[in-house]
Amino acid sequence: MAHIFVIAGHGHGDSGATGGGYTEDERVRALAKKIKQYGGNNVTVGDMNRDWYADNGISTLNISKSWQIIELHMDSASASARGGHVIINSTFSPDQYDKALAKYISEVFPGRSQSIVKRSDLANPKRAAAKGYSYRLLECGFISNATDRKIFNENIDEIAKGILKCFD
């Protein structure tokens, strides 16, 4: 199994998206803890008391280039919007981990027209690329959608285990 470095999105005063009485930062931190619980020594969770985007954390990160970075998020839009997907830097092609995560997350959270999205306008994918790190941002459904939120909350253990299997 590849070693995974988990970044829980938002935090440190930025709640991220909200929905149904939940905040994105709290939910993805709960998921990060589960990933660590099930992944043991194959998982390192980045400091969850910080906002890795706001403080430019990836630019000062010093980890092995063989480690796989996954940044956890949840989307927000209209209450009918659904689905999960993987975001990668626009200059890269999806690797085996991106493809496995995209397949898995789109099965758990269906509804997106694309399961892998290339973006050139996001800071953390750019920062990771500049450092030579393998990085992907994982959108774990829409916190603003009652169905996605229920799936996330009721299956958080299975989601953590499924994410880990993508890095076998």
Side-chain angles (χ1 to χ4, degrees), residues 1-5 35 39-44 65-69 95-97 134 136 163-168:
M1 173 180 207
H3 191 95
I4 306 166
F5 187 85
I35 293 170
N41 292 333
N42 289 320
V43 175
T44 300
K65 298 284 196 256
S66 68
W67 287 16
Q68 302 298 310
I69 299 174
D95 65 17
Q96 69 192 50
Y97 305 118
S134 180
R136 70 275 308 139
I163 290 169
L164 287 167
K165 283 185 180 182
C166 295
F167 290 92
D168 276 344

Side-chain angles (χ1 to χ4, degrees), residues 8-9 24-33 72-74 152:
E24 178 182 7
D25 66 326
E26 184 278 325
R27 292 287 67 210
V28 298
R29 278 160 177 70
L31 179 58
K33 289 175 187 174
L72 304 173
H73 284 269
M74 294 182 83
F152 184 96

Side-chain angles (χ1 to χ4, degrees), residues 38 91 130 159:
Y38 294 115
T91 62
I159 292 167

Side-chain angles (χ1 to χ4, degrees), residues 8 13 17 20 55-56 63 73 79 85-86 100 103 115 129 132 138 148 159 165:
D55 71 10
N56 197 18
I63 60 173
H73 284 269
H85 70 280
V86 174
K103 182 179 185 313
S115 60
L138 182 65
D148 278 1
I159 292 167
K165 283 185 180 182

Side-chain angles (χ1 to χ4, degrees), residues 7 9-10 16-17 24 28 31 70-77 82-88 101-102 104-110 112 114-117 119 122 135-144 148 152 159 163:
I7 296 173
H10 301 285
E24 178 182 7
V28 298
L31 179 58
I70 181 170
E71 184 169 348
L72 304 173
H73 284 269
M74 294 182 83
D75 260 328
S76 181
R82 291 203 56 212
H85 70 280
V86 174
I87 296 172
I88 62 172
L101 275 170
Y104 173 72
I105 206 69
S106 63
E107 289 171 355
V108 175
F109 299 104
R112 291 282 191 158
Q114 293 181 295
S115 60
I116 298 177
V117 177
R119 298 276 300 265
L122 297 177
Y135 167 99
R136 70 275 308 139
L137 188 152
L138 182 65
E139 293 281 8
C140 300
F142 279 82
I143 199 168
S144 53
D148 278 1
F152 184 96
I159 292 167
I163 290 169

